[in-house]
Amino acid sequence: MPDHANDELIRKLTTALGKSGVLTDPADRMAYESDWRGRYAGNAICVILPRSTQEVAQAVALCAAAGASIVPQGGRTGLVGGAIPLAGEVVFSLERISALRSIDPLGMTMAVDAGMTLGAARAHAARHQLDLPVLIGSEGSAQIGGIIATNAGGSNVLRHGMTRQRVTGLEVVLPDGRVWDGMRPVAKDNTGYALQQVFIGSEGTLGIVTGAVLQLVPAPKSVLTAFCPVASIDAALSLLVKLRSSLPDALVAFEYMNAATVALISDQRPELAAALALPGGPSACLLIEAEDFTGTEATQDRLHDALVSGLERGEITDALLAQSVAQREAFWAFREAISFAQNGLGHSVKNDVSVPIGSIPELLTRGSALIAGICADAQPICYGHLGDGNIHFNVSPASRDHADALRACEPAINAALADLAEGLGGSFSAEHGVGQAKRDSLARLRAGPELEMMRRIKSALDPQGLMNPGKLL
Ligand code: MLT
Ligand code: ZN
């Protein structure tokens, strides 16, 4: 848009939202214009901080009238650049719309504003002995609107599903500024197209989620967490099968880290490795978690017995069982440190793929061979949610000196791993979405009716193409 049109839009937005609701100074905008990895950055016309759904609606209508593009933004914890502006959009930050609207302990639902952090929502639920079971390391910053717009996954998907499974109702500001009130706190609403599902995972390209009704679950009485060096990926899968049958309703997380990942953390964050006192050199490890609802020792005994059998069969070589909340936190701190530790080597390539669980060994073997063929001095940092078939097939340089070489190989590595995952019957983006990062893969691998349907939905709901351009499609 020409400068005078931008100035006019900013003037109107300021009239609607007040001076403190519109950030135009580059220094004020800066935090909203890049992601935490420093990987994606752009320039917005301005950043707006509406205080209510009505203010969002008013601002969207002003942008639509001016033909200005919009980037909806939550906590900026995403990994594919989906909430970061490219150039010349208006960023809508939802951070000031963060209230608890209501909580219904009997129906086990909560209605919240989209800007509430996941951590705050879980804390509200916990006051009623309930939980919002979405387990991601960034819960202190990630916002409800963002996890819905990206259909966030996480570490307990094998038990509780993706964010999509948690949403019963939505409130969305549509691209023309109208508000769709679909905030129904009921499990059953069989009235035609499940419209809320269209917005979940749409990455801000169809509208702005401003509120949601979320289905909660009873909070467990306690959580049991184990950290185990594992002999091989086949051994890990064999243990998974045993744990699923001995803890059918209790197993919530089954996380895998390959040996290179464990070595990376031990190197970059030696204090986290020391807290675990891992025996021997780095080997692949599992982080296993189960929930107990009985208040007795029954679940703990079953987990214990399953791990002892795993030790006897040689599947795992040790089993550390958290004896305190602090020890559980130490296990998870090790696991959640991986992304940050990768940043320490200067450049990291992120691939977030899923395959049928039985194909994971083939994915790891063939993927590692492909990477070795594309880029010498690169190391596959493979970890993730083995229990649901989702591996973060990341790649780091062997050392900081090789970061530039890896950067040059990134497109070829991404294409090869995407093709491999899709060829094995899986997905090139399991839980991180498409954003800016994986648009090429979407265009290449989902061409045909799938992409065509997406484009038709996009143009039906956003005919001006103003919502989050350059992302997803
Ligand atoms: C994780 O599970 O830690 C993230 O989804 C993966 C990542 O940061 O690459
Ligand atoms: Zn993940």
Side-chain angles (χ1 to χ4, degrees):
M1 295 210 306
D3 281 355
H4 66 87
N6 287 348
D7 292 346
E8 181 59 11
L9 177 60
I10 288 171
R11 196 187 58 70
K12 288 182 175 163
L13 289 168
T14 307
T15 305
L17 307 183
K19 215 166 167 357
S20 67
V22 184
L23 308 180
T24 51
D25 190 317
D28 296 334
R29 293 192 330 241
M30 199 164 66
Y32 300 86
E33 293 180 325
S34 61
D35 69 332
W36 64 271
R37 285 201 298 150
R39 189 62 194 277
Y40 301 97
N43 286 106
I45 299 173
C46 62
V47 175
I48 65 164
L49 306 167
R51 291 184 183 276
S52 65
T53 299
Q54 290 65 35
E55 285 195 358
V56 174
Q58 230 180 325
V60 168
L62 289 171
C63 290
S69 299
I70 291 170
V71 177
Q73 191 176 89
R76 295 185 303 279
T77 59
L79 292 157
V80 289
I84 306 303
L86 301 174
E89 305 96 324
V90 176
V91 170
F92 279 55
S93 168
L94 278 275
E95 67 189 26
R96 289 188 183 171
I97 310 177
S98 59
L100 174 68
R101 298 190 188 181
S102 62
I103 187 157
D104 172 7
L106 183 60
M108 293 200 299
T109 58
M110 73 194 305
V112 297
D113 284 344
M116 176 180 282
T117 65
L118 172 60
R122 295 189 72 199
H124 282 298
R127 284 182 205 114
H128 299 269
Q129 290 74 52
L130 296 169
D131 189 21
L132 174 60
V134 178
L135 199 57
I136 55 178
S138 54
E139 69 168 31
S141 312
Q143 296 172 11
I144 297 298
I147 67 165
I148 290 172
T150 58
N151 185 28
S155 295
N156 58 5
V157 169
L158 88 156
R159 172 79 183 99
H160 295 291
M162 305 272 281
T163 297
R164 192 181 292 286
Q165 270 78 49
R166 306 264 57 88
V167 179
T168 75
L170 275 191
E171 177 187 84
V172 181
V173 175
L174 302 173
D176 60 6
R178 285 180 303 157
V179 180
W180 171 51
D181 179 0
M183 293 283 280
R184 298 184 190 100
V186 287
K188 288 187 158 179
D189 173 26
N190 204 5
T191 52
Y193 300 137
L195 291 175
Q196 74 272 34
Q197 297 300 333
V198 174
F199 292 97
I200 301 168
S202 67
E203 304 189 21
T205 61
L206 301 177
I208 304 180
V209 174
T210 50
V213 183
L214 301 164
Q215 183 68 57
L216 307 173
V217 297
K221 291 217 161 44
S222 64
V223 176
L224 310 161
T225 313
F227 201 96
C228 309
V230 64
S232 65
I233 189 67
D234 293 306
L237 292 176
S238 159
L239 183 66
L240 172 64
V241 172
K242 314 274 177 9
L243 284 168
R244 279 196 315 218
S245 67
S246 53
L247 298 158
D249 297 323
L251 185 66
V252 286
F254 193 84
E255 299 280 301
Y256 172 77
M257 292 159 258
N258 73 352
T261 304
V262 175
L264 176 80
I265 307 290
S266 306
D267 196 41
Q268 301 275 319
R269 300 289 306 275
E271 77 287 4
L272 295 180
L276 266 60
L278 286 174
S283 84
C285 287
L286 299 170
L287 197 169
I288 298 163
E289 195 153 273
E291 291 178 340
D292 174 57
F293 290 90
T294 66
T296 68
E297 291 186 352
T299 310
Q300 187 173 340
D301 290 348
R302 281 188 289 151
L303 177 62
H304 180 266
D305 292 351
L307 293 179
V308 167
S309 311
L311 281 165
E312 286 165 359
R313 287 190 301 272
E315 288 163 354
I316 49 176
T317 53
D318 201 348
L320 314 175
L321 264 171
Q323 301 298 324
S324 63
V325 172
Q327 214 175 359
R328 176 193 181 226
E329 282 169 2
F331 292 177
W332 279 106
F334 189 93
R335 160 67 181 85
E336 301 297 357
I338 302 169
S339 278
F340 291 94
Q342 277 196 278
N343 264 6
L345 287 179
H347 188 73
S348 63
V349 173
K350 291 219 166 283
N351 276 287
D352 163 42
V353 298
S354 62
V355 295
I357 300 182
S359 299
I360 295 260
E362 188 177 352
L363 172 79
L364 294 178
T365 311
R366 287 177 56 193
S368 301
L370 285 168
I371 290 165
I374 295 169
C375 187
D377 306 313
Q379 43 171 341
I381 301 294
C382 299
Y383 63 97
H385 319 296
L386 184 58
D388 63 42
N390 174 194
I391 293 288
H392 299 305
F393 212 127
N394 292 354
V395 189
S396 282
S399 73
R400 279 192 86 92
D401 295 344
H402 300 99
D404 286 341
L406 177 60
R407 193 176 280 111
C409 296
E410 181 164 0
I413 290 176
N414 290 349
L417 291 176
D419 286 356
L420 176 61
E422 297 266 328
L424 290 171
S427 170
F428 69 88
S429 184
E431 62 170 10
H432 293 169
V434 176
Q436 302 178 40
K438 306 289 172 188
R439 286 174 76 212
D440 292 354
S441 297
L442 185 78
R444 197 164 54 82
L445 295 165
R446 301 296 170 90
E450 191 164 332
L451 201 54
E452 187 56 31
M453 284 190 282
M454 288 197 217
R455 290 207 172 108
R456 286 188 188 179
I457 291 169
K458 168 77 174 167
S459 59
L461 292 181
D462 180 22
Q464 284 183 273
L466 298 180
M467 297 302 306
N468 218 6
K471 318 290 168 51
L472 183 57
L473 292 173

